[in-house]
Amino acid sequence: MANHSQLGFQDASSPIMEELVEFHDHALMVALAICSLVLYLLTLMLTEKLSSSTVDAQEIELVWTILPAIVLIMLALPSLQILYMMDEINEPSLTMKAIGHQWYWSYEYTDFKDLTFDSYMTPTADLPLGHLRLLEVDHRVVVPMESPVRVIVTADDVLHSWAVPSLGVKTDAIPGRLNQTSFTASRPGIFYGQCSEICGANHSFMPIVVESVPLANFESWSSLLSS
Amino acid sequence: MRRLLASRMKFHLLGAFLVSVGCATLYKFGVAEPRKRAYAEFYKNYDPMKDFEAMKAAGVLESAPPK
């Protein structure tokens, strides 16, 4: 989860999120270079060290056309690389469905047995000491670690969005539509997310908790719940 | 005063370019590279099972309660 004054991304827990964090650093670096250039030139102009009483500026016009084009290409190439990486065919070992309702998520694991459950936020009054307010749920989404997981996201009533920042996942839940996303949890852990599309009064109170565990534990959990 | 604007513009444009490249380099070697190294270091000798056992013992996992 994010700390109270956190500005940056949460630690990446999937390979795609690691790529996104690296790309964000790259894009921010480009933005910083441009902003510092503009600020420097602005300071010069405001302190009257630079004026613009020129009539012919062919060379600089060429420079400030070519350079931005190069900058845009420098941004576009890694961005497209990651976009295609996200859509790679990765043969998921598990498919689960996340269905948004007002105001909870329900999950279905129907690959082997029919496992269906609802996931409601734990009210603050019932929250054990040390647990995270407005983020904990009664039933977590358990997935096997280091395995590609396919998530089919949809909604039952209004628009919702299934998001887990640490895994680099955010997919809109649209009634009447099945959206597909996939992720691979690189390590065991508990990853928190929140509904990311305004859906009514309790939009802020329908969190998502993904618990990534070794395959053996995932299998025993799913057998226990589906029995 | 002859060609003062031209020489000043040349000097300051070079300066601006150096400032912007300098900022980008500072960010790259101050933030981006250490972050990449931190991720590589974390996963170099990472033992997921050991981490999982520690989480299980702490009792934070719903699907793997401590014995």
Side-chain angles (χ1 to χ4, degrees), chain A residues 73-107:
Chain A
I73 291 169
M74 271 174 61
L75 284 174
L77 287 178
S79 173
L80 286 169
Q81 198 178 30
I82 298 175
L83 192 66
Y84 277 78
M85 212 184 282
M86 284 170 159
D87 277 341
E88 261 171 16
I89 309 213
N90 57 3
E91 303 285 340
S93 44
L94 172 74
T95 299
M96 52 170 268
K97 287 168 217 93
I99 302 157
H101 307 262
Q102 281 178 312
W103 287 280
Y104 63 99
W105 292 94
S106 65
Y107 300 102

Coordinates of all heavy atoms in Angstrom, one line a residue, chain A residues 73-107:
Chain A
I73 N 10.3 10.8 -30.2 CA 10.7 9.4 -30.5 C 11.3 8.7 -29.3 O 11.0 7.5 -29.1 CB 11.6 9.4 -31.7 CG1 10.9 9.9 -33.0 CG2 12.2 8.0 -32.0 CD1 11.7 10.1 -34.2
M74 N 12.1 9.4 -28.6 CA 12.8 8.8 -27.4 C 11.7 8.4 -26.4 O 11.9 7.5 -25.6 CB 13.7 9.9 -26.7 CG 15.1 9.9 -27.2 SD 16.0 11.2 -26.5 CE 15.9 10.9 -24.8
L75 N 10.6 9.1 -26.3 CA 9.5 8.7 -25.4 C 8.6 7.6 -26.0 O 8.2 6.7 -25.3 CB 8.6 9.9 -25.1 CG 9.1 11.0 -24.2 CD1 8.2 12.2 -24.1 CD2 9.3 10.4 -22.8
A76 N 8.4 7.7 -27.3 CA 7.4 6.7 -27.9 C 8.0 5.3 -28.0 O 7.3 4.3 -27.7 CB 7.1 7.2 -29.3
L77 N 9.3 5.2 -28.2 CA 9.8 3.8 -28.4 C 9.7 2.9 -27.2 O 9.2 1.8 -27.3 CB 11.3 3.9 -29.0 CG 11.4 4.3 -30.4 CD1 12.9 4.5 -30.8 CD2 10.7 3.4 -31.3
P78 N 10.2 3.4 -26.0 CA 10.1 2.5 -24.9 C 8.6 2.3 -24.5 O 8.2 1.2 -24.0 CB 10.8 3.2 -23.7 CG 11.3 4.5 -24.3 CD 11.0 4.6 -25.7
S79 N 7.8 3.4 -24.7 CA 6.4 3.3 -24.4 C 5.7 2.2 -25.2 O 4.9 1.3 -24.6 CB 5.7 4.6 -24.6 OG 4.3 4.5 -24.5
L80 N 5.9 2.1 -26.5 CA 5.3 1.1 -27.3 C 5.9 -0.3 -27.0 O 5.1 -1.3 -27.0 CB 5.6 1.4 -28.8 CG 4.8 2.6 -29.4 CD1 5.3 3.0 -30.7 CD2 3.3 2.2 -29.4
Q81 N 7.2 -0.3 -26.6 CA 7.8 -1.6 -26.2 C 7.0 -2.2 -25.1 O 6.7 -3.4 -25.1 CB 9.2 -1.3 -25.9 CG 10.1 -2.6 -25.8 CD 11.5 -2.2 -25.5 OE1 11.8 -1.3 -24.8 NE2 12.4 -3.0 -26.0
I82 N 6.7 -1.4 -24.1 CA 6.0 -1.9 -22.9 C 4.6 -2.2 -23.2 O 4.0 -3.2 -22.8 CB 6.1 -0.8 -21.7 CG1 7.5 -0.6 -21.3 CG2 5.2 -1.3 -20.5 CD1 7.7 0.5 -20.3
L83 N 4.0 -1.4 -24.1 CA 2.6 -1.7 -24.5 C 2.4 -3.0 -25.1 O 1.5 -3.8 -24.8 CB 2.1 -0.6 -25.5 CG 0.6 -0.5 -25.8 CD1 -0.1 -0.1 -24.6 CD2 0.4 0.5 -26.9
Y84 N 3.4 -3.4 -26.0 CA 3.3 -4.7 -26.7 C 3.7 -5.8 -25.7 O 3.2 -6.9 -25.8 CB 4.3 -4.7 -27.9 CG 3.6 -4.1 -29.1 CD1 3.4 -2.7 -29.2 CD2 3.0 -4.9 -30.1 CE1 2.8 -2.1 -30.3 CE2 2.4 -4.4 -31.2 CZ 2.2 -3.0 -31.3 OH 1.6 -2.4 -32.4
M85 N 4.6 -5.5 -24.7 CA 5.0 -6.4 -23.7 C 3.7 -6.8 -22.9 O 3.6 -8.0 -22.5 CB 6.0 -5.8 -22.8 CG 7.0 -6.8 -22.2 SD 8.1 -5.9 -21.1 CE 9.2 -5.1 -22.2
M86 N 2.9 -5.8 -22.6 CA 1.7 -6.1 -21.8 C 0.7 -7.1 -22.5 O 0.0 -7.8 -21.9 CB 0.9 -4.8 -21.6 CG 1.5 -3.9 -20.5 SD 0.7 -2.4 -20.6 CE 1.0 -1.8 -19.0
D87 N 0.7 -7.0 -23.9 CA -0.2 -7.8 -24.7 C 0.4 -9.1 -25.2 O -0.2 -9.8 -26.0 CB -0.7 -7.0 -25.9 CG -1.9 -6.1 -25.5 OD1 -2.5 -6.3 -24.4 OD2 -2.1 -5.1 -26.2
E88 N 1.6 -9.4 -24.7 CA 2.2 -10.7 -25.1 C 1.4 -11.9 -24.7 O 0.8 -11.9 -23.6 CB 3.6 -10.8 -24.4 CG 4.7 -10.4 -25.3 CD 6.0 -10.4 -24.6 OE1 6.1 -10.9 -23.5 OE2 7.0 -9.7 -25.1
I89 N 1.4 -12.9 -25.5 CA 0.7 -14.1 -25.2 C 1.5 -14.9 -24.2 O 2.6 -15.3 -24.4 CB 0.5 -15.0 -26.5 CG1 -0.1 -14.1 -27.6 CG2 -0.3 -16.2 -26.1 CD1 -1.0 -14.8 -28.5
N90 N 1.0 -15.0 -22.9 CA 1.8 -15.5 -21.9 C 1.3 -16.8 -21.3 O 1.7 -17.3 -20.3 CB 2.0 -14.5 -20.8 CG 0.7 -14.0 -20.2 OD1 -0.4 -14.4 -20.6 ND2 0.8 -13.0 -19.3
E91 N 0.3 -17.5 -21.9 CA -0.2 -18.8 -21.4 C -0.5 -18.8 -19.9 O 0.2 -19.4 -19.2 CB 0.8 -19.9 -21.7 CG 1.2 -20.0 -23.2 CD 0.1 -20.7 -24.0 OE1 -0.8 -21.4 -23.4 OE2 0.1 -20.5 -25.3
P92 N -1.6 -18.0 -19.5 CA -1.8 -18.0 -18.1 C -2.2 -19.3 -17.5 O -2.8 -20.1 -18.2 CB -3.0 -17.1 -17.9 CG -3.2 -16.4 -19.3 CD -2.5 -17.3 -20.3
S93 N -1.7 -19.6 -16.3 CA -1.9 -20.9 -15.7 C -3.3 -20.9 -14.9 O -3.8 -21.9 -14.5 CB -0.8 -21.3 -14.7 OG -0.4 -20.2 -14.0
L94 N -3.8 -19.6 -14.7 CA -5.0 -19.5 -14.0 C -5.9 -18.4 -14.6 O -5.3 -17.3 -15.0 CB -4.7 -19.2 -12.5 CG -5.9 -18.8 -11.6 CD1 -6.7 -20.0 -11.2 CD2 -5.3 -18.2 -10.3
T95 N -7.2 -18.6 -14.7 CA -8.1 -17.5 -15.1 C -9.1 -17.3 -14.0 O -9.7 -18.2 -13.5 CB -8.8 -17.9 -16.4 OG1 -7.8 -18.2 -17.4 CG2 -9.7 -16.8 -16.8
M96 N -9.2 -16.0 -13.6 CA -10.2 -15.7 -12.6 C -11.0 -14.5 -13.1 O -10.6 -13.7 -14.0 CB -9.6 -15.4 -11.3 CG -8.5 -14.3 -11.3 SD -8.0 -13.8 -9.7 CE -9.0 -12.4 -9.5
K97 N -12.3 -14.4 -12.6 CA -13.1 -13.3 -12.9 C -13.3 -12.4 -11.8 O -13.5 -12.8 -10.6 CB -14.5 -13.8 -13.4 CG -14.4 -14.5 -14.7 CD -15.7 -15.2 -15.0 CE -15.4 -16.5 -15.8 NZ -15.2 -17.7 -15.0
A98 N -13.2 -11.1 -12.0 CA -13.5 -10.1 -11.0 C -14.7 -9.3 -11.5 O -14.7 -8.7 -12.5 CB -12.3 -9.1 -10.8
I99 N -15.7 -9.3 -10.6 CA -17.0 -8.7 -11.0 C -17.3 -7.5 -10.0 O -17.3 -7.8 -8.8 CB -18.1 -9.7 -11.1 CG1 -17.8 -10.8 -12.1 CG2 -19.5 -9.0 -11.5 CD1 -18.5 -12.1 -11.8
G100 N -17.4 -6.4 -10.5 CA -17.7 -5.2 -9.7 C -19.2 -5.0 -9.4 O -20.0 -5.1 -10.3
H101 N -19.5 -4.8 -8.2 CA -20.9 -4.5 -7.8 C -20.9 -3.3 -6.9 O -19.8 -2.8 -6.5 CB -21.5 -5.7 -6.9 CG -21.3 -7.0 -7.5 ND1 -22.4 -7.6 -8.1 CD2 -20.3 -7.9 -7.5 CE1 -22.0 -8.8 -8.5 NE2 -20.7 -9.0 -8.1
Q102 N -22.1 -2.7 -6.7 CA -22.2 -1.6 -5.7 C -22.4 -2.2 -4.4 O -23.5 -2.7 -4.1 CB -23.3 -0.7 -6.1 CG -23.0 0.2 -7.3 CD -24.1 1.1 -7.7 OE1 -25.3 0.6 -7.9 NE2 -23.9 2.4 -7.8
W103 N -21.5 -2.3 -3.4 CA -20.2 -1.8 -3.5 C -19.2 -2.8 -3.0 O -18.8 -2.8 -1.8 CB -20.1 -0.4 -2.7 CG -20.7 0.7 -3.4 CD1 -20.2 1.4 -4.4 CD2 -22.1 1.2 -3.2 NE1 -21.1 2.4 -4.8 CE2 -22.3 2.2 -4.1 CE3 -23.1 0.9 -2.3 CZ2 -23.4 3.0 -4.1 CZ3 -24.3 1.6 -2.3 CH2 -24.4 2.6 -3.2
Y104 N -19.0 -3.8 -3.7 CA -18.0 -4.9 -3.4 C -17.6 -5.6 -4.7 O -18.1 -5.3 -5.7 CB -18.7 -5.9 -2.4 CG -19.9 -6.6 -3.0 CD1 -19.7 -7.9 -3.6 CD2 -21.1 -6.0 -3.1 CE1 -20.8 -8.6 -4.2 CE2 -22.2 -6.7 -3.7 CZ -22.1 -7.9 -4.2 OH -23.1 -8.6 -4.8
W105 N -16.6 -6.4 -4.5 CA -16.1 -7.2 -5.7 C -16.5 -8.6 -5.4 O -16.5 -9.1 -4.3 CB -14.6 -7.1 -5.8 CG -14.1 -5.8 -6.2 CD1 -13.7 -4.7 -5.4 CD2 -14.1 -5.2 -7.6 NE1 -13.4 -3.6 -6.1 CE2 -13.6 -3.9 -7.5 CE3 -14.4 -5.8 -8.8 CZ2 -13.4 -3.1 -8.6 CZ3 -14.2 -5.0 -9.9 CH2 -13.7 -3.6 -9.8
S106 N -16.8 -9.4 -6.5 CA -17.0 -10.8 -6.4 C -16.0 -11.5 -7.3 O -15.7 -10.9 -8.4 CB -18.4 -11.2 -6.6 OG -18.7 -11.0 -8.0
Y107 N -15.5 -12.6 -6.9 CA -14.5 -13.3 -7.7 C -14.9 -14.7 -8.0 O -15.6 -15.4 -7.2 CB -13.2 -13.3 -6.9 CG -12.6 -11.9 -6.6 CD1 -12.8 -11.4 -5.3 CD2 -12.0 -11.1 -7.6 CE1 -12.4 -10.1 -5.1 CE2 -11.6 -9.9 -7.3 CZ -11.8 -9.3 -6.1 OH -11.3 -8.1 -5.8

